[in-house]
Structure formats: C-alpha cells, structure tokens
Amino acid sequence: AQSVSQHNHHVILSEAASLELGCNYSYGGTVNLFWYVQYPGQHLQLLLKYFSGDPLVKGIKGFEAEFIKSKFSFNLRKPSVQWSDTAEYFCAVNMNRDDKIIFGKGTRLHILP
Amino acid sequence: DGGITQSPKYLFRKEGQNVTLSCEQNLNHDAMYWYRQDPGQGLRLIYYSQIVNDFQKGDIAEGYSVSREKKESFPLTVTSAQKNPTAFYLCASSISANTEAFFGQGTRLTVV
C-alpha cells in the first residue's frame, strides 16, 4: 500500500540549532510532495511543495526541502531554528497524479528558548 | 475573505446519534477532502471529492458518509456506526485533485 513515513515523532532542539526532518514514501512513480506545518491553535498551512524541476525547493520562513528520487525521500531542513518554529510538521504526498493526498503521522518539534 | 469554513469549532454528541459537520469553501476549488486527526496518527483520509456529485472513500470511510451537491459544500456525517468518533476533523480543498490543499480550522467532535 502507498504510504508516507516520518521517522521522527518528537524532536527537541535549542534555538539556532539546525533542523532536518525525514520523510520517505513508498511509491516508484511520479509524485507531488508537500510539507505542511500546524502551529499551536492554528490551521494547517503549506510550507513548501515540489511538483517538478529543481529538486531543492525553498519555502516560507527559511525552510527548504530536497527531493531525492533514488531514496524516495523529501527531507525538510532549516539551518537555524527559532522558538517560533515550535509546531507539528507533516509530510504529504500525491502519488502518480492521483486524486488524493496522503499524509505522514507528523513530527512534533519543540524549540527550547 | 476567501477560505474554508468549518462549523462548529467544538461539537458534543451523545453516543448513538448521527452528527453532521459542515465544510464550505469560497475558493472555487474543484476538489474537497475530509481528514481525521488523532494524536500520533497524523491525518487520515476519510472521503474525498474531485467534482460535484462524485466522491470516493478514503482509508477510513467506515462509519462516515458525505455528499457533494454543490461545489462549495462538502458536509461529513459521522454515523452511529463509527466506533470511535471522538476526534479532530479537518476539511480541505484544492484547485484540482493533485495540487496543494488548503485547510479549514477544524471541528473537534466529542461523543459522550
């Protein structure tokens, strides 16, 4: 079955630390890839997306992600996190231009001031 | 303002009762989705619809039903057959089936 895996369920970092959150998917065909963020008490919102082209995509708030097709991965990165990055992060995948988007289980990120 | 409106924000029901959650969008999006969010489970797809009068089951459709009579509306009914209905329900829409989704603020349903 098609699936999306986020390896880190809960991450705790200090401010200014670098961040990398893993995301892998189980599908060998064409994919559209997304990272969403849910700040406490707020809507889910899109951080960044990849459809085609340059596999390194930049999103809002200094986040970026790299699509590595050979590894079926789309890891999220940020060079220096801030306390305001405390949130839950979800990787999502649309497989083979299908008509649905599948989400991972999420990673809860806690930044220590 | 354009967006997706879910109502109500909090909903309480007695066990055995059906309940309908509202989702309206004024973004002129073709596709709409219902997800259920539980702690540690991420978002699980309940139902989705690409066009009016058409919808498909997601991964956890049992105990739920939907309708898509209008482009802007996609209500979700949680029936008494749903064994564990207490959860946070999220509605989303997208321009087409494989583009990014925009989410509503969610409805927290508690069944007692």
Side-chain angles (χ1 to χ4, degrees), chain A residues 78-101:
Chain A
K78 186 171 184 178
S80 176
V81 294
Q82 301 172 307
W83 179 79
S84 59
D85 293 325
T86 294
E88 191 159 15
Y89 293 80
F90 295 92
C91 180
V93 181
N94 166 256
M95 303 184 192
N96 199 33
R97 310 290 191 254
D98 197 1
D99 50 5
K100 58 186 179 183
I101 301 172

PDB file of all heavy atoms in Angstrom, chain A residues 78-101:
ATOM      1  N   LYS A  78      16.141  23.277   7.948  1.00  0.00           N
ATOM      2  CA  LYS A  78      16.270  24.702   8.256  1.00  0.00           C
ATOM      3  C   LYS A  78      17.600  24.879   8.962  1.00  0.00           C
ATOM      4  O   LYS A  78      17.887  24.168   9.929  1.00  0.00           O
ATOM      5  CB  LYS A  78      15.113  25.193   9.132  1.00  0.00           C
ATOM      6  CG  LYS A  78      15.149  26.702   9.346  1.00  0.00           C
ATOM      7  CD  LYS A  78      13.893  27.218  10.019  1.00  0.00           C
ATOM      8  CE  LYS A  78      13.936  28.746  10.127  1.00  0.00           C
ATOM      9  NZ  LYS A  78      12.710  29.316  10.744  1.00  0.00           N
ATOM     10  N   PRO A  79      18.439  25.809   8.512  1.00  0.00           N
ATOM     11  CA  PRO A  79      19.798  25.927   9.060  1.00  0.00           C
ATOM     12  C   PRO A  79      19.832  26.377  10.513  1.00  0.00           C
ATOM     13  O   PRO A  79      20.718  25.962  11.271  1.00  0.00           O
ATOM     14  CB  PRO A  79      20.463  26.982   8.164  1.00  0.00           C
ATOM     15  CG  PRO A  79      19.554  27.229   7.036  1.00  0.00           C
ATOM     16  CD  PRO A  79      18.198  26.706   7.386  1.00  0.00           C
ATOM     17  N   SER A  80      18.862  27.207  10.909  1.00  0.00           N
ATOM     18  CA  SER A  80      18.901  27.754  12.266  1.00  0.00           C
ATOM     19  C   SER A  80      17.458  27.973  12.732  1.00  0.00           C
ATOM     20  O   SER A  80      16.773  28.874  12.260  1.00  0.00           O
ATOM     21  CB  SER A  80      19.672  29.080  12.262  1.00  0.00           C
ATOM     22  OG  SER A  80      19.649  29.683  13.534  1.00  0.00           O
ATOM     23  N   VAL A  81      17.018  27.148  13.668  1.00  0.00           N
ATOM     24  CA  VAL A  81      15.620  27.226  14.089  1.00  0.00           C
ATOM     25  C   VAL A  81      15.410  28.325  15.123  1.00  0.00           C
ATOM     26  O   VAL A  81      16.323  28.739  15.828  1.00  0.00           O
ATOM     27  CB  VAL A  81      15.131  25.879  14.653  1.00  0.00           C
ATOM     28  CG1 VAL A  81      15.106  24.829  13.560  1.00  0.00           C
ATOM     29  CG2 VAL A  81      15.967  25.434  15.846  1.00  0.00           C
ATOM     30  N   GLN A  82      14.150  28.762  15.203  1.00  0.00           N
ATOM     31  CA  GLN A  82      13.760  29.768  16.184  1.00  0.00           C
ATOM     32  C   GLN A  82      12.677  29.190  17.087  1.00  0.00           C
ATOM     33  O   GLN A  82      12.001  28.215  16.720  1.00  0.00           O
ATOM     34  CB  GLN A  82      13.204  30.998  15.459  1.00  0.00           C
ATOM     35  CG  GLN A  82      14.182  31.636  14.498  1.00  0.00           C
ATOM     36  CD  GLN A  82      13.535  32.719  13.657  1.00  0.00           C
ATOM     37  OE1 GLN A  82      12.509  32.481  13.011  1.00  0.00           O
ATOM     38  NE2 GLN A  82      14.112  33.900  13.681  1.00  0.00           N
ATOM     39  N   TRP A  83      12.493  29.810  18.225  1.00  0.00           N
ATOM     40  CA  TRP A  83      11.470  29.350  19.167  1.00  0.00           C
ATOM     41  C   TRP A  83      10.101  29.295  18.485  1.00  0.00           C
ATOM     42  O   TRP A  83       9.298  28.401  18.727  1.00  0.00           O
ATOM     43  CB  TRP A  83      11.447  30.292  20.371  1.00  0.00           C
ATOM     44  CG  TRP A  83      10.415  29.927  21.384  1.00  0.00           C
ATOM     45  CD1 TRP A  83      10.480  28.945  22.326  1.00  0.00           C
ATOM     46  CD2 TRP A  83       9.138  30.546  21.533  1.00  0.00           C
ATOM     47  NE1 TRP A  83       9.314  28.915  23.066  1.00  0.00           N
ATOM     48  CE2 TRP A  83       8.481  29.893  22.602  1.00  0.00           C
ATOM     49  CE3 TRP A  83       8.475  31.595  20.874  1.00  0.00           C
ATOM     50  CZ2 TRP A  83       7.211  30.256  23.026  1.00  0.00           C
ATOM     51  CZ3 TRP A  83       7.210  31.952  21.296  1.00  0.00           C
ATOM     52  CH2 TRP A  83       6.581  31.284  22.357  1.00  0.00           C
ATOM     53  N   SER A  84       9.862  30.231  17.579  1.00  0.00           N
ATOM     54  CA  SER A  84       8.569  30.302  16.884  1.00  0.00           C
ATOM     55  C   SER A  84       8.355  29.151  15.895  1.00  0.00           C
ATOM     56  O   SER A  84       7.262  29.017  15.335  1.00  0.00           O
ATOM     57  CB  SER A  84       8.430  31.630  16.143  1.00  0.00           C
ATOM     58  OG  SER A  84       9.481  31.787  15.207  1.00  0.00           O
ATOM     59  N   ASP A  85       9.361  28.326  15.685  1.00  0.00           N
ATOM     60  CA  ASP A  85       9.193  27.159  14.812  1.00  0.00           C
ATOM     61  C   ASP A  85       8.560  25.983  15.539  1.00  0.00           C
ATOM     62  O   ASP A  85       8.294  24.936  14.923  1.00  0.00           O
ATOM     63  CB  ASP A  85      10.548  26.728  14.231  1.00  0.00           C
ATOM     64  CG  ASP A  85      11.116  27.749  13.272  1.00  0.00           C
ATOM     65  OD1 ASP A  85      10.322  28.389  12.546  1.00  0.00           O
ATOM     66  OD2 ASP A  85      12.358  27.928  13.262  1.00  0.00           O
ATOM     67  N   THR A  86       8.328  26.137  16.827  1.00  0.00           N
ATOM     68  CA  THR A  86       7.643  25.096  17.591  1.00  0.00           C
ATOM     69  C   THR A  86       6.275  24.830  16.975  1.00  0.00           C
ATOM     70  O   THR A  86       5.442  25.726  16.878  1.00  0.00           O
ATOM     71  CB  THR A  86       7.483  25.522  19.064  1.00  0.00           C
ATOM     72  OG1 THR A  86       8.775  25.609  19.665  1.00  0.00           O
ATOM     73  CG2 THR A  86       6.628  24.532  19.832  1.00  0.00           C
ATOM     74  N   ALA A  87       6.070  23.594  16.536  1.00  0.00           N
ATOM     75  CA  ALA A  87       4.855  23.260  15.789  1.00  0.00           C
ATOM     76  C   ALA A  87       4.897  21.770  15.464  1.00  0.00           C
ATOM     77  O   ALA A  87       5.858  21.069  15.778  1.00  0.00           O
ATOM     78  CB  ALA A  87       4.783  24.066  14.485  1.00  0.00           C
ATOM     79  N   GLU A  88       3.846  21.314  14.780  1.00  0.00           N
ATOM     80  CA  GLU A  88       3.847  19.954  14.251  1.00  0.00           C
ATOM     81  C   GLU A  88       3.979  20.032  12.738  1.00  0.00           C
ATOM     82  O   GLU A  88       3.318  20.854  12.095  1.00  0.00           O
ATOM     83  CB  GLU A  88       2.569  19.203  14.647  1.00  0.00           C
ATOM     84  CG  GLU A  88       2.645  17.712  14.350  1.00  0.00           C
ATOM     85  CD  GLU A  88       1.669  16.871  15.142  1.00  0.00           C
ATOM     86  OE1 GLU A  88       0.723  17.442  15.722  1.00  0.00           O
ATOM     87  OE2 GLU A  88       1.843  15.639  15.168  1.00  0.00           O
ATOM     88  N   TYR A  89       4.837  19.188  12.193  1.00  0.00           N
ATOM     89  CA  TYR A  89       5.161  19.229  10.766  1.00  0.00           C
ATOM     90  C   TYR A  89       4.720  17.929  10.105  1.00  0.00           C
ATOM     91  O   TYR A  89       4.986  16.833  10.613  1.00  0.00           O
ATOM     92  CB  TYR A  89       6.670  19.427  10.576  1.00  0.00           C
ATOM     93  CG  TYR A  89       7.131  20.786  11.047  1.00  0.00           C
ATOM     94  CD1 TYR A  89       7.344  21.037  12.395  1.00  0.00           C
ATOM     95  CD2 TYR A  89       7.315  21.825  10.144  1.00  0.00           C
ATOM     96  CE1 TYR A  89       7.739  22.296  12.841  1.00  0.00           C
ATOM     97  CE2 TYR A  89       7.711  23.089  10.576  1.00  0.00           C
ATOM     98  CZ  TYR A  89       7.911  23.310  11.922  1.00  0.00           C
ATOM     99  OH  TYR A  89       8.292  24.558  12.353  1.00  0.00           O
ATOM    100  N   PHE A  90       4.048  18.076   8.965  1.00  0.00           N
ATOM    101  CA  PHE A  90       3.518  16.922   8.249  1.00  0.00           C
ATOM    102  C   PHE A  90       4.059  16.883   6.829  1.00  0.00           C
ATOM    103  O   PHE A  90       3.993  17.884   6.107  1.00  0.00           O
ATOM    104  CB  PHE A  90       1.988  16.993   8.173  1.00  0.00           C
ATOM    105  CG  PHE A  90       1.299  16.886   9.502  1.00  0.00           C
ATOM    106  CD1 PHE A  90       0.982  18.027  10.226  1.00  0.00           C
ATOM    107  CD2 PHE A  90       0.968  15.648  10.034  1.00  0.00           C
ATOM    108  CE1 PHE A  90       0.345  17.935  11.449  1.00  0.00           C
ATOM    109  CE2 PHE A  90       0.326  15.546  11.260  1.00  0.00           C
ATOM    110  CZ  PHE A  90       0.020  16.691  11.975  1.00  0.00           C
ATOM    111  N   CYS A  91       4.540  15.724   6.465  1.00  0.00           N
ATOM    112  CA  CYS A  91       4.913  15.466   5.084  1.00  0.00           C
ATOM    113  C   CYS A  91       3.696  14.870   4.373  1.00  0.00           C
ATOM    114  O   CYS A  91       2.947  14.079   4.980  1.00  0.00           O
ATOM    115  CB  CYS A  91       6.084  14.479   5.048  1.00  0.00           C
ATOM    116  SG  CYS A  91       6.653  14.048   3.409  1.00  0.00           S
ATOM    117  N   ALA A  92       3.486  15.233   3.127  1.00  0.00           N
ATOM    118  CA  ALA A  92       2.333  14.718   2.381  1.00  0.00           C
ATOM    119  C   ALA A  92       2.728  14.433   0.947  1.00  0.00           C
ATOM    120  O   ALA A  92       3.594  15.129   0.382  1.00  0.00           O
ATOM    121  CB  ALA A  92       1.181  15.718   2.423  1.00  0.00           C
ATOM    122  N   VAL A  93       2.102  13.444   0.365  1.00  0.00           N
ATOM    123  CA  VAL A  93       2.477  13.001  -0.976  1.00  0.00           C
ATOM    124  C   VAL A  93       1.230  12.733  -1.810  1.00  0.00           C
ATOM    125  O   VAL A  93       0.277  12.126  -1.322  1.00  0.00           O
ATOM    126  CB  VAL A  93       3.329  11.716  -0.902  1.00  0.00           C
ATOM    127  CG1 VAL A  93       3.742  11.278  -2.297  1.00  0.00           C
ATOM    128  CG2 VAL A  93       4.537  11.915  -0.025  1.00  0.00           C
ATOM    129  N   ASN A  94       1.274  13.188  -3.037  1.00  0.00           N
ATOM    130  CA  ASN A  94       0.271  12.837  -4.028  1.00  0.00           C
ATOM    131  C   ASN A  94       0.978  11.942  -5.038  1.00  0.00           C
ATOM    132  O   ASN A  94       1.977  12.358  -5.628  1.00  0.00           O
ATOM    133  CB  ASN A  94      -0.286  14.095  -4.683  1.00  0.00           C
ATOM    134  CG  ASN A  94      -1.063  13.797  -5.942  1.00  0.00           C
ATOM    135  OD1 ASN A  94      -0.585  14.017  -7.051  1.00  0.00           O
ATOM    136  ND2 ASN A  94      -2.265  13.301  -5.789  1.00  0.00           N
ATOM    137  N   MET A  95       0.498  10.720  -5.204  1.00  0.00           N
ATOM    138  CA  MET A  95       1.227   9.715  -5.980  1.00  0.00           C
ATOM    139  C   MET A  95       0.604   9.495  -7.342  1.00  0.00           C
ATOM    140  O   MET A  95      -0.606   9.270  -7.436  1.00  0.00           O
ATOM    141  CB  MET A  95       1.279   8.405  -5.188  1.00  0.00           C
ATOM    142  CG  MET A  95       1.904   8.597  -3.825  1.00  0.00           C
ATOM    143  SD  MET A  95       2.104   7.084  -2.889  1.00  0.00           S
ATOM    144  CE  MET A  95       2.505   7.754  -1.252  1.00  0.00           C
ATOM    145  N   ASN A  96       1.442   9.586  -8.363  1.00  0.00           N
ATOM    146  CA  ASN A  96       1.017   9.302  -9.735  1.00  0.00           C
ATOM    147  C   ASN A  96      -0.121  10.206 -10.174  1.00  0.00           C
ATOM    148  O   ASN A  96      -1.037   9.783 -10.879  1.00  0.00           O
ATOM    149  CB  ASN A  96       0.589   7.847  -9.907  1.00  0.00           C
ATOM    150  CG  ASN A  96       0.585   7.429 -11.366  1.00  0.00           C
ATOM    151  OD1 ASN A  96       1.392   7.905 -12.156  1.00  0.00           O
ATOM    152  ND2 ASN A  96      -0.333   6.562 -11.732  1.00  0.00           N
ATOM    153  N   ARG A  97      -0.041  11.467  -9.771  1.00  0.00           N
ATOM    154  CA  ARG A  97      -1.089  12.425 -10.123  1.00  0.00           C
ATOM    155  C   ARG A  97      -2.466  11.875  -9.754  1.00  0.00           C
ATOM    156  O   ARG A  97      -3.452  12.096 -10.441  1.00  0.00           O
ATOM    157  CB  ARG A  97      -1.044  12.768 -11.605  1.00  0.00           C
ATOM    158  CG  ARG A  97       0.334  13.175 -12.111  1.00  0.00           C
ATOM    159  CD  ARG A  97       0.744  14.528 -11.571  1.00  0.00           C
ATOM    160  NE  ARG A  97       1.929  15.034 -12.258  1.00  0.00           N
ATOM    161  CZ  ARG A  97       3.133  15.071 -11.736  1.00  0.00           C
ATOM    162  NH1 ARG A  97       3.349  14.638 -10.521  1.00  0.00           N
ATOM    163  NH2 ARG A  97       4.156  15.546 -12.432  1.00  0.00           N
ATOM    164  N   ASP A  98      -2.481  11.153  -8.658  1.00  0.00           N
ATOM    165  CA  ASP A  98      -3.705  10.543  -8.152  1.00  0.00           C
ATOM    166  C   ASP A  98      -4.630  11.641  -7.659  1.00  0.00           C
ATOM    167  O   ASP A  98      -4.295  12.823  -7.672  1.00  0.00           O
ATOM    168  CB  ASP A  98      -3.326   9.579  -7.022  1.00  0.00           C
ATOM    169  CG  ASP A  98      -4.433   8.613  -6.700  1.00  0.00           C
ATOM    170  OD1 ASP A  98      -5.489   8.667  -7.356  1.00  0.00           O
ATOM    171  OD2 ASP A  98      -4.255   7.806  -5.765  1.00  0.00           O
ATOM    172  N   ASP A  99      -5.786  11.225  -7.198  1.00  0.00           N
ATOM    173  CA  ASP A  99      -6.766  12.222  -6.792  1.00  0.00           C
ATOM    174  C   ASP A  99      -6.843  12.377  -5.277  1.00  0.00           C
ATOM    175  O   ASP A  99      -7.851  12.814  -4.760  1.00  0.00           O
ATOM    176  CB  ASP A  99      -8.135  11.858  -7.357  1.00  0.00           C
ATOM    177  CG  ASP A  99      -8.506  10.417  -7.063  1.00  0.00           C
ATOM    178  OD1 ASP A  99      -7.753   9.747  -6.343  1.00  0.00           O
ATOM    179  OD2 ASP A  99      -9.549   9.969  -7.567  1.00  0.00           O
ATOM    180  N   LYS A 100      -5.799  12.017  -4.564  1.00  0.00           N
ATOM    181  CA  LYS A 100      -5.816  12.214  -3.123  1.00  0.00           C
ATOM    182  C   LYS A 100      -4.400  12.497  -2.633  1.00  0.00           C
ATOM    183  O   LYS A 100      -3.422  12.205  -3.305  1.00  0.00           O
ATOM    184  CB  LYS A 100      -6.363  10.991  -2.403  1.00  0.00           C
ATOM    185  CG  LYS A 100      -5.593   9.714  -2.674  1.00  0.00           C
ATOM    186  CD  LYS A 100      -6.286   8.525  -2.045  1.00  0.00           C
ATOM    187  CE  LYS A 100      -5.513   7.242  -2.355  1.00  0.00           C
ATOM    188  NZ  LYS A 100      -6.187   6.042  -1.809  1.00  0.00           N
ATOM    189  N   ILE A 101      -4.329  13.091  -1.455  1.00  0.00           N
ATOM    190  CA  ILE A 101      -3.048  13.418  -0.822  1.00  0.00           C
ATOM    191  C   ILE A 101      -2.952  12.611   0.461  1.00  0.00           C
ATOM    192  O   ILE A 101      -3.862  12.653   1.288  1.00  0.00           O
ATOM    193  CB  ILE A 101      -2.950  14.925  -0.527  1.00  0.00           C
ATOM    194  CG1 ILE A 101      -3.085  15.730  -1.828  1.00  0.00           C
ATOM    195  CG2 ILE A 101      -1.630  15.242   0.151  1.00  0.00           C
ATOM    196  CD1 ILE A 101      -3.185  17.229  -1.612  1.00  0.00           C
TER     197      ILE A 101
END
